Amino acid sequence: PEPSFDDAAWGEMPVPGNWELNGHGYPIYTNVIYNFHSDPPWIRYRGKDPDYNPTGAYRRSFDVPQEWSDQGLEVYLHIGAVCCGCRAWLNGTELGFSTDSKLPTEFRLTGKVTPGRNVLAMEVLCWTAGAYLEDQDMWWLAGITRDVYAYARPTQHIRDVQVRAFADGLLEVDAELATAGSALPAGASLHCELYPRGQEGDAAARVVAFDLPAAARTAEV
């Protein structure tokens, strides 16, 4: 994972991409029996070599604009999906690991990323403890299977939002606000507007608009 490591002799692998579909290894199909002996959380392959667990190493250099630092933005790494698990390093510092092959993983890079050139390194394993929950009637195709990218957000931003509409006209909005440890301003609220599909932003078509206080969970409109 060290940024100074010379990877000039390494080959290339598309991301997203599966190893087995790009000339590395072979796909394995399983139905009701694991590829490995059932002894969680340990992985021991059922074939001739019990230590067999295909592992890939990735390195990627990328540039971060100076503006992200100048504006005090929070920086995150988004890994869309990795089969079956991974560890990640940025500029030689370990970020963490993931063992869920079908869900995105995100790491906060603020304080670790620098303006200019940065080096991301990842170790990807075909099977981890999480494979005990996922191995069922499927082809095993390892690799980084969805997009990987870095992005920046203001210190305070909407991290996630869920909207639920009911037949009786009730509308529920559930938002997760990221604050990076800082308190929201007094009286802060979330402004919401509802539009018909295809008419977003057309004030004449707006159905309803309301402000939900950050400290509240519900509001009547």
Side-chain angles (χ1 to χ4, degrees):
E2 294 301 324
S4 59
F5 178 79
D6 183 5
D7 59 7
W10 286 20
E12 295 187 356
M13 175 62 62
V15 175
N18 295 115
W19 304 339
E20 298 82 359
L21 302 184
N22 287 276
H24 299 276
Y26 49 87
I28 299 177
Y29 172 79
T30 58
N31 187 359
V32 297
I33 299 177
Y34 290 130
N35 291 318
F36 36 84
H37 295 281
S38 184
D39 184 24
W42 312 110
I43 298 295
R44 293 187 301 114
Y45 184 55
R46 287 184 179 274
K48 293 182 179 180
D49 181 3
D51 294 328
Y52 177 75
N53 189 354
T55 301
Y58 292 75
R59 283 170 57 87
R60 176 75 176 188
S61 297
F62 64 99
D63 293 323
V64 169
Q66 179 67 45
E67 291 78 8
W68 287 8
S69 177
D70 294 343
Q71 297 174 17
L73 300 178
E74 289 287 314
V75 184
Y76 300 90
L77 174 69
H78 177 94
I79 303 173
V82 175
C83 187
C84 170
C86 71
R87 296 171 67 193
W89 294 261
L90 181 71
N91 300 327
T93 299
E94 186 168 0
L95 301 174
F97 68 94
S98 170
T99 59
D100 194 319
S101 67
K102 303 303 180 185
L103 293 178
T105 298
E106 291 200 346
F107 298 107
R108 182 172 177 261
L109 303 185
T110 308
K112 303 179 183 67
V113 71
T114 59
R117 183 58 52 95
N118 292 263
V119 178
L120 173 67
M122 291 178 59
E123 178 186 63
V124 176
L125 288 84
C126 186
W127 301 303
T128 68
Y132 281 97
L133 303 177
E134 299 175 338
D135 192 348
Q136 51 182 335
D137 194 13
M138 59 183 285
W139 285 98
W140 277 100
L141 298 170
I144 301 176
T145 55
R146 292 178 183 151
D147 290 337
V148 177
Y149 54 86
Y151 68 95
R153 291 287 186 269
T155 301
Q156 297 179 347
H157 61 273
I158 298 175
R159 182 174 178 82
D160 192 18
V161 62
Q162 185 178 59
V163 179
R164 295 178 292 273
F166 298 86
D168 60 1
L170 178 66
L171 181 70
E172 291 185 351
V173 179
D174 188 1
E176 179 183 349
L177 305 180
T179 64
S182 59
L184 289 170
S189 62
L190 178 66
H191 183 70
C192 306
E193 296 182 355
L194 178 65
Y195 294 88
R197 183 186 298 274
Q199 296 179 278
E200 296 85 350
D202 183 353
R206 185 172 60 199
V207 177
V208 66
F210 60 94
D211 292 313
L212 178 63
R217 295 190 61 86
T218 60
E220 293 185 4
V221 296

